[in-house]
Amino acid sequence: MTRTLATLTAVCAAALAGAGPAAADSIVYVKDLNVWLANADGSGRYQVTTDGAPGWAYGSPSQADDGTIVARRGTDIVRMRQNGEVLSSFDPPDTTDSAGQHIGGTPSQVAVSPDGSKVAYTYYQANCPPGVSCGVRYVMLYSHADRATPVETFGKLYRNNPSWMSNNRLLAFGGFLSQVNYDSPGGGNDDDVHWFDDKDMFDPSTDLGDGELSRQGNRLATLRGYADSTHLMIYKVTQNVVSGSPSGPPTYACNTGEEPTLDSPSWSPDGKSIAFAHKDGIEVIPLPSVEYGCPGASSGRVVIPGGSEPDWGPAPVNPGPRGGGTGDQIAADPEPKTTTQPNNTTQPKKTTQRITCASMKSKKARTKCKRARALKKCKRIKAKSARTRCIRKVKRAYRSAK
């Protein structure tokens, strides 16, 4: 049975304006090409990274339960502490899309599992392969969080917008008739399980994507619609999606008004508030109930002006000294409109011994090293056509060194 769209849009019109609770948890986000961190009410803002730059900016940050942050930087996936100390950085492998075409370059929608052991990410590209319709194609991949991982280790999906529900299962989104799905890393390629589509509840139906399940497993938020019709949907979940096999869709609760720039919904650790981004910054809405109409929902508030891509986690804002002892501690900031930034303290440079390809013992190891570094240089080329030609040239030159 479907519910008409007229009933849908008549409900919860007042739930889109935002005020967030102060708690011992945090929101990681992007601003000015860098990763930032703040308390849930927007206070105590701290700039985690300072080296983001055009063409090599940070994006898509997410955080594990212990506060470890994983984000994209250019073509790399970087894992770091709250104070910006890099724990690992790697260039994830390329693969092929659903049309068999090479895909790689810049990873997007990077999501780290709650225990920090794995990441999921997406590659996008628009192409027109011979004999196949033109379009935007995407591939979702998994990796160990601290190192590049072969695609075949965990498999790949032709999905996007990964969002972890547990350490072993995540939500993944696709197109018509495969909008909301769940998957576990491992097994074969493209082996996710379909959960539901918008048409299961509404007529006429539209697109669903970019969603997140609350940690309690009883609330779901997704973006619905396209362009100017985009709005945030809130659902009540009564079946076990985290580890079970749900037999039907969730129950519609309420929705926000339409806003084309809505992005990145993220539930609070207690599941009673939700953060999301739009043109003005990051907004938080308290949602005490997800019964029909979301009774008790109060108006929201933009807690982080200018912020984007929020991810709400249970770790407090506690970066400690920057650079191992000479940086500044996080400053308390009770006013959401006040920004606390670290001083530009010059840190002593660490001396590290760089391992060169020439120093490797075997010829095969030296060749593989040279191939990997040549491919990394290719991926930093901004022009897509030139980048693709470079990658193909390198792979042909080092074909026997895979």
Side-chain angles (χ1 to χ4, degrees), residues 152-156 184-189 191:
E152 56 269 21
T153 300
F154 295 118
K156 64 181 180 181
S184 296
N189 293 332
D191 63 346

PDB file of all heavy atoms in Angstrom, residues 152-156 184-189 191:
ATOM      1  N   GLU A 152      39.794  -7.323  -4.580  1.00  0.00           N
ATOM      2  CA  GLU A 152      39.237  -8.657  -4.388  1.00  0.00           C
ATOM      3  C   GLU A 152      39.199  -9.092  -2.923  1.00  0.00           C
ATOM      4  O   GLU A 152      38.514 -10.069  -2.583  1.00  0.00           O
ATOM      5  CB  GLU A 152      40.026  -9.681  -5.202  1.00  0.00           C
ATOM      6  CG  GLU A 152      41.521  -9.713  -4.914  1.00  0.00           C
ATOM      7  CD  GLU A 152      42.315  -8.791  -5.818  1.00  0.00           C
ATOM      8  OE1 GLU A 152      41.720  -7.854  -6.392  1.00  0.00           O
ATOM      9  OE2 GLU A 152      43.538  -9.017  -5.951  1.00  0.00           O
ATOM     10  N   THR A 153      39.883  -8.395  -2.037  1.00  0.00           N
ATOM     11  CA  THR A 153      39.864  -8.776  -0.621  1.00  0.00           C
ATOM     12  C   THR A 153      38.458  -8.679  -0.033  1.00  0.00           C
ATOM     13  O   THR A 153      38.001  -9.578   0.677  1.00  0.00           O
ATOM     14  CB  THR A 153      40.817  -7.879   0.193  1.00  0.00           C
ATOM     15  OG1 THR A 153      42.143  -8.036  -0.307  1.00  0.00           O
ATOM     16  CG2 THR A 153      40.792  -8.248   1.671  1.00  0.00           C
ATOM     17  N   PHE A 154      37.758  -7.592  -0.307  1.00  0.00           N
ATOM     18  CA  PHE A 154      36.416  -7.383   0.237  1.00  0.00           C
ATOM     19  C   PHE A 154      35.331  -7.343  -0.830  1.00  0.00           C
ATOM     20  O   PHE A 154      34.149  -7.337  -0.504  1.00  0.00           O
ATOM     21  CB  PHE A 154      36.370  -6.081   1.037  1.00  0.00           C
ATOM     22  CG  PHE A 154      37.222  -6.079   2.269  1.00  0.00           C
ATOM     23  CD1 PHE A 154      38.280  -5.187   2.407  1.00  0.00           C
ATOM     24  CD2 PHE A 154      36.972  -6.959   3.305  1.00  0.00           C
ATOM     25  CE1 PHE A 154      39.064  -5.168   3.557  1.00  0.00           C
ATOM     26  CE2 PHE A 154      37.737  -6.950   4.460  1.00  0.00           C
ATOM     27  CZ  PHE A 154      38.791  -6.058   4.589  1.00  0.00           C
ATOM     28  N   GLY A 155      35.706  -7.285  -2.108  1.00  0.00           N
ATOM     29  CA  GLY A 155      34.714  -7.171  -3.163  1.00  0.00           C
ATOM     30  C   GLY A 155      34.303  -5.730  -3.408  1.00  0.00           C
ATOM     31  O   GLY A 155      34.695  -4.814  -2.691  1.00  0.00           O
ATOM     32  N   LYS A 156      33.507  -5.528  -4.448  1.00  0.00           N
ATOM     33  CA  LYS A 156      33.037  -4.185  -4.793  1.00  0.00           C
ATOM     34  C   LYS A 156      31.559  -4.220  -5.143  1.00  0.00           C
ATOM     35  O   LYS A 156      31.001  -5.262  -5.495  1.00  0.00           O
ATOM     36  CB  LYS A 156      33.838  -3.622  -5.965  1.00  0.00           C
ATOM     37  CG  LYS A 156      33.681  -4.379  -7.276  1.00  0.00           C
ATOM     38  CD  LYS A 156      34.542  -3.754  -8.371  1.00  0.00           C
ATOM     39  CE  LYS A 156      34.408  -4.495  -9.698  1.00  0.00           C
ATOM     40  NZ  LYS A 156      35.261  -3.907 -10.745  1.00  0.00           N
ATOM     41  N   SER A 184      27.740  -6.495   3.595  1.00  0.00           N
ATOM     42  CA  SER A 184      28.854  -6.767   4.506  1.00  0.00           C
ATOM     43  C   SER A 184      30.114  -6.946   3.679  1.00  0.00           C
ATOM     44  O   SER A 184      30.075  -7.587   2.618  1.00  0.00           O
ATOM     45  CB  SER A 184      28.587  -8.035   5.328  1.00  0.00           C
ATOM     46  OG  SER A 184      27.470  -7.855   6.163  1.00  0.00           O
ATOM     47  N   PRO A 185      31.248  -6.400   4.125  1.00  0.00           N
ATOM     48  CA  PRO A 185      32.481  -6.554   3.351  1.00  0.00           C
ATOM     49  C   PRO A 185      32.912  -8.011   3.273  1.00  0.00           C
ATOM     50  O   PRO A 185      32.811  -8.758   4.246  1.00  0.00           O
ATOM     51  CB  PRO A 185      33.499  -5.704   4.128  1.00  0.00           C
ATOM     52  CG  PRO A 185      32.921  -5.557   5.489  1.00  0.00           C
ATOM     53  CD  PRO A 185      31.450  -5.590   5.328  1.00  0.00           C
ATOM     54  N   GLY A 186      33.377  -8.407   2.112  1.00  0.00           N
ATOM     55  CA  GLY A 186      33.751  -9.796   1.887  1.00  0.00           C
ATOM     56  C   GLY A 186      32.764 -10.448   0.941  1.00  0.00           C
ATOM     57  O   GLY A 186      31.776  -9.848   0.520  1.00  0.00           O
ATOM     58  N   GLY A 187      33.008 -11.690   0.608  1.00  0.00           N
ATOM     59  CA  GLY A 187      32.124 -12.367  -0.321  1.00  0.00           C
ATOM     60  C   GLY A 187      32.420 -11.942  -1.745  1.00  0.00           C
ATOM     61  O   GLY A 187      33.512 -11.483  -2.077  1.00  0.00           O
ATOM     62  N   GLY A 188      31.430 -12.036  -2.611  1.00  0.00           N
ATOM     63  CA  GLY A 188      31.634 -11.717  -4.013  1.00  0.00           C
ATOM     64  C   GLY A 188      31.346 -10.267  -4.331  1.00  0.00           C
ATOM     65  O   GLY A 188      30.945  -9.483  -3.469  1.00  0.00           O
ATOM     66  N   ASN A 189      31.555  -9.913  -5.602  1.00  0.00           N
ATOM     67  CA  ASN A 189      31.242  -8.566  -6.062  1.00  0.00           C
ATOM     68  C   ASN A 189      29.743  -8.396  -6.233  1.00  0.00           C
ATOM     69  O   ASN A 189      29.030  -9.344  -6.589  1.00  0.00           O
ATOM     70  CB  ASN A 189      31.938  -8.299  -7.396  1.00  0.00           C
ATOM     71  CG  ASN A 189      33.439  -8.244  -7.263  1.00  0.00           C
ATOM     72  OD1 ASN A 189      33.964  -7.890  -6.216  1.00  0.00           O
ATOM     73  ND2 ASN A 189      34.144  -8.589  -8.328  1.00  0.00           N
ATOM     74  N   ASP A 191      27.174  -8.119  -4.317  1.00  0.00           N
ATOM     75  CA  ASP A 191      26.347  -9.111  -3.617  1.00  0.00           C
ATOM     76  C   ASP A 191      25.537  -8.497  -2.485  1.00  0.00           C
ATOM     77  O   ASP A 191      25.163  -9.184  -1.530  1.00  0.00           O
ATOM     78  CB  ASP A 191      27.223 -10.243  -3.083  1.00  0.00           C
ATOM     79  CG  ASP A 191      28.244  -9.758  -2.047  1.00  0.00           C
ATOM     80  OD1 ASP A 191      28.455  -8.523  -1.949  1.00  0.00           O
ATOM     81  OD2 ASP A 191      28.826 -10.601  -1.345  1.00  0.00           O
TER      82      ASP A 191
END
